[in-house]
Amino acid sequence: MIDVLYFAWVRERIGLPKERVESQAATVRELVEELREREERYEAAFADLSALRVAVDQELADFDAPLAGVRELAFFPPMTGG
């Protein structure tokens, strides 16, 4: 089981701040594909991966990052500094 957290407009589109997901996906990208197939709200949230960032166990990662041993994923839009 992986805790999946959603932030900002990703959370708004999916309608949940977090959920526990059971998956056989090997990478973040494969998990995203599984989620997109669930419902339209996931499809809308993950329609453009270039507009998203992901953190794997609180470390920035890319969508090809492996999921073996991962406890937490977080999806969020890019941040700007100021």
Side-chain angles (χ1 to χ4, degrees):
M1 295 291 281
I2 299 172
D3 290 323
V4 182
L5 289 72
Y6 307 109
F7 294 93
W9 57 260
V10 183
R11 178 182 60 231
E12 292 169 10
R13 290 182 186 171
I14 292 174
L16 297 170
K18 65 180 178 178
E19 64 182 318
R20 291 194 64 116
V21 174
E22 187 170 346
S23 174
Q24 298 301 316
T27 65
V28 173
R29 189 177 309 277
E30 288 177 15
L31 178 65
V32 166
E33 287 305 314
E34 287 180 9
L35 293 172
R36 289 174 71 180
E37 292 173 6
R38 281 183 169 184
E39 300 176 34
E40 285 184 25
R41 61 188 174 137
Y42 292 95
E43 177 65 36
F46 294 112
D48 181 7
L49 295 186
S50 69
L52 283 174
R53 298 296 177 263
V54 62
V56 174
D57 287 334
Q58 300 183 4
E59 297 280 335
L60 284 177
D62 63 35
F63 285 88
D64 293 319
L67 291 180
V70 169
R71 294 186 310 259
E72 180 186 272
L73 289 180
F75 294 100
F76 50 92
M79 308 285 186
T80 58

